[in-house]
Amino acid sequence: MTNPQPPSSHQLAADVAAAEDSAIAAVARAGSAAELDRIQSEVIGKRSALARLNTALGALDPEGRRSAGASINAARSRVGGQIEQRRSMLAVTERRARIEAERLDLTETIALASTTGGGVPLPGGPVTRGRLNLVTQTRDELEDTFVALGFAVAEGPEAETDWYNFEALNMPPAHPARGMWDTLYLKLGKPETVLLRTHTSPVQVRLMERQKPPIYAVMPGRCYRRDTPDARHLPVFHQIEGLVVDRDITFADLAGTIEAFTTSFFGPGIHSRLRPSYFPFTEPSGEFEVTCPICAGVGCRTCSGSGWIELGGCGMVDPNVFAAVGIDPDVHSGFAFGFGIDRLAQVRAGLSDMRTLLDNDIRFITQF
Ligand code: FA5
């Protein structure tokens, strides 16, 4: 028996190229990571065509051996690269397939729950979109109304110092007018120096400190008082403050602004009136009232028999307030007002009791 002829370097190079091509084609056909593992051992493992070609190197001369060995190694490393590339592609595809298989279509459950009729009821009822509370809707609308009249919107903190809530508003310590607001004090610093603001008027002071006239701004926000809840009062409620400071501002501007606001917010049908009142930070001061929508002015429990509901206070900014913030009252004048947002919402929706706003009763909430 004669030994087979050893391959020439030329033949070996052709065999390496053919083994590489068939290895790369096999790798490209792998449909899963497990299949790829198997193909890997077939194409670059110990029994692979490329490994077998290594054994033929011994028959070549040293130069041919070196060059053929290098080309087998290069082919092996190219096939290895293709394997890694294929492995990452398969990992992405397999992950996608797994996510798709595990996906829970909750919308489908909801749709079925609301439409099965006689079928087996599925857990959970139809989910409808929530909506903003009537007070929030009213606040947004008030902001829009005043912005349309040329006002800017500003805000201030709910925890306030005695200075902003009282002193700068012309109420020094022990001033009897402080009793107009049942105040909740916080245990911070010296006793009775930090409080939950009783009205939005302190924001006026902060704004005038920050901004020089002309000022045309409204300041909505939450207020706190030790008030017992009843048909027209809540211990936590909302006000919108208004402030105008410019040259030659008169009471007629205040009355005109309130008239423009009332018409725009309530429509032309509602009656309103301004009557004299007292606030330490405005002089002269007034109270703004509208006809009680529950009894149409006849008198009922909601309006305590008066036929009118008070919506807020107003007046010309007191010169002492201007002095506290460094505005010259000989050059500038201004007016301010503060309306109850919950009260406005109550009147416009014709609610006999303000506490309904806190009920969280879906039948009530969905009406607005
Ligand atoms: C004030 O708070 C003044 N700061 C208003 C003001 C501002 C006057 C600027 C002059 C210039 P009064 O305490 O009256 O005023 O409250 C104003 C409005 O807030 C009331 O008319 C009412 O609509 C609303 N309000 C007051 N207390 C409550 C409460 N406990 N619950 C719901 N609304 C309230």
Side-chain angles (χ1 to χ4, degrees):
M1 217 168 92
T2 53
N3 281 333
Q5 279 290 88
S8 67
S9 347
H10 188 70
Q11 175 63 45
L12 200 64
D15 290 347
V16 170
E20 179 180 346
D21 286 350
S22 108
I24 288 175
V27 168
R29 279 195 303 273
S32 69
E35 195 183 347
L36 184 64
D37 286 343
R38 190 176 47 73
I39 291 172
Q40 176 173 1
S41 91
E42 270 172 29
V43 296
I44 52 173
K46 277 189 199 143
R47 291 168 205 276
S48 65
L50 283 170
R52 277 201 308 276
L53 286 171
N54 258 329
T55 60
L57 293 179
L60 299 177
D61 59 52
E63 179 48 35
R65 202 181 305 145
R66 206 169 19 255
S67 116
S71 70
I72 291 173
N73 282 343
R76 203 174 175 282
S77 123
R78 280 192 295 274
V79 174
Q82 292 293 314
I83 290 172
E84 285 325 306
Q85 218 174 320
R86 184 79 189 143
R87 199 185 301 287
S88 9
M89 269 176 61
L90 288 170
V92 172
T93 321
E94 283 175 12
R95 184 160 180 274
R96 250 191 227 138
R98 202 173 54 246
I99 290 172
E100 187 56 31
E102 288 171 1
R103 192 162 71 99
L104 282 179
D105 188 351
L106 298 176
T107 54
E108 195 182 349
T109 309
I110 290 159
L112 285 171
S114 56
T115 57
T116 40
V120 180
L122 290 163
V127 176
T128 51
R129 280 188 73 183
R131 63 184 69 213
L132 296 175
N133 183 280
L134 182 57
V135 176
T136 312
Q137 288 182 35
T138 310
R139 175 189 161 147
D140 289 350
E141 204 181 314
L142 285 165
E143 285 181 17
D144 290 348
T145 305
F146 280 106
V147 166
L149 291 173
F151 287 68
V153 180
E155 285 190 345
E158 291 175 21
E160 251 316 351
T161 61
D162 181 85
W163 163 259
Y164 286 105
N165 199 80
F166 291 126
E167 251 190 281
L169 289 167
N170 199 24
M171 283 176 278
H175 191 288
R178 288 182 174 219
M180 289 168 74
W181 296 279
D182 281 324
T183 311
L184 289 155
Y185 287 94
L186 297 175
K187 278 191 184 167
L188 275 173
K190 284 195 201 139
E192 303 205 347
T193 53
V194 187
L195 46 86
L196 290 174
R197 68 178 176 199
T198 56
H199 50 179
T200 41
S201 298
V203 193
Q204 278 184 41
V205 181
R206 289 182 175 275
L207 191 61
M208 285 190 279
E209 276 181 344
R210 216 172 49 219
Q211 188 188 325
K212 292 299 151 212
I215 300 173
Y216 291 79
V218 285
M219 294 143 268
R222 201 175 287 141
C223 306
Y224 304 80
R225 290 185 196 175
R226 276 190 294 116
D227 280 346
T228 309
D230 65 21
R232 281 172 297 135
H233 296 90
L234 296 172
V236 180
F237 60 100
H238 303 78
Q239 285 187 343
I240 183 159
E241 192 82 6
L243 176 71
V244 168
V245 185
D246 207 339
R247 289 170 192 266
D248 305 321
I249 297 292
T250 66
F251 201 91
D253 296 310
L254 167 59
T257 304
I258 290 185
E259 178 67 32
F261 156 71
T262 318
T263 315
S264 156
F265 188 75
F266 290 108
I270 195 103
H271 300 295
S272 62
R273 70 176 186 184
L274 266 179
R275 55 184 195 97
S277 185
Y278 169 75
F279 293 99
F281 33 93
T282 44
E283 181 57 38
S285 303
E287 237 157 35
F288 167 59
E289 298 180 328
V290 292
T291 321
C292 174
I294 307 300
C295 61
V298 177
C300 66
R301 218 166 58 92
T302 304
C303 59
S304 307
S306 72
W308 294 92
I309 291 199
E310 177 207 314
L311 290 184
C314 57
M316 300 306 291
V317 180
D318 192 286
N320 286 343
V321 176
F322 280 145
V325 292
I327 291 179
D328 185 349
D330 291 331
V331 179
H332 290 106
S333 56
F335 66 76
F337 57 81
F339 299 150
I341 299 180
D342 318 69
R343 198 72 73 75
L344 282 160
Q346 176 184 16
V347 168
R348 207 169 56 163
L351 308 176
S352 59
D353 198 313
M354 190 185 276
R355 286 167 290 190
T356 336
L357 292 170
L358 305 180
D359 273 355
N360 251 355
D361 184 331
I362 203 80
R363 290 165 304 177
F364 169 74
I365 293 169
T366 49
Q367 287 177 52
F368 304 101

